[in-house]
Amino acid sequence: MNNLPLKLLIVACALFLTSCSSNEVELVENNIELTVNLTEKSIEADILANVNEYRISKGYAPLNKLQAIKSQTSNHTNYMIQQSKISHDNFYKRKEYLISNAGAIGVGENVAYGYSSAASVVNAWIKSEGHRKNIEGDFTHFEVTAEKDANGKWYFTNIFVRK
């Protein structure tokens, strides 16, 4: 039985945007693993397309999807919903996983909450220096997960990898 809907009932509304990027490996304890839904939603496909359109418009190469990233974006998005906040908690565990399992040599992460469309979340990331740095970064692959909480608000995790 999936207890996620019950846990989502306690989710509080908040609007916050933050970014994280690192090229160093660090370990974080208490990594929480959650059930993963790897089916791509249309909003996720649109986010990836918008990020690549922006990159191309600025002279950067488009990024390729990488399935190994999807498990990490999915787990983290579900974790944020369960915690009722956006965060980069356990980022270095996700990074370590991608280094070990996807051959990553660089990893960046953008998270967001509350945006209602792909265009709005990507535009917000572009307007933020740290997020834009990840979008314009020297990465080769990416993936995103978007999930709604019990109140219908979207949570987003976008991870970038350089191989």
Side-chain angles (χ1 to χ4, degrees), residues 5-25:
L6 293 174
K7 293 176 184 175
L8 294 177
L9 293 176
I10 62 170
V11 175
C13 293
L15 181 60
F16 189 84
L17 187 67
T18 185
S19 173
C20 187
S21 179
S22 172
N23 289 328
E24 298 177 11
V25 177

Side-chain angles (χ1 to χ4, degrees), residues 87-156:
S87 73
H88 292 287
D89 293 354
N90 304 309
F91 170 72
Y92 294 101
K93 284 286 191 182
R94 291 186 292 286
K95 181 180 174 189
E96 179 182 85
Y97 174 89
L98 292 167
I99 289 168
S100 297
N101 295 287
I105 58 174
V107 179
E109 176 178 86
N110 289 350
V111 296
Y113 162 82
Y115 294 93
S116 59
S117 70
S120 64
V121 71
V122 173
N123 287 336
W125 283 335
I126 290 168
K127 290 178 182 177
S128 163
E129 184 178 345
H131 296 96
R132 186 175 57 253
K133 183 178 176 183
N134 283 338
I135 291 172
E136 294 177 352
D138 184 22
F139 296 109
T140 56
H141 296 81
F142 69 159
E143 192 52 87
V144 68
T145 295
E147 291 289 344
K148 286 184 179 179
D149 69 9
N151 297 316
K153 298 294 183 181
W154 287 102
Y155 282 75
F156 305 89

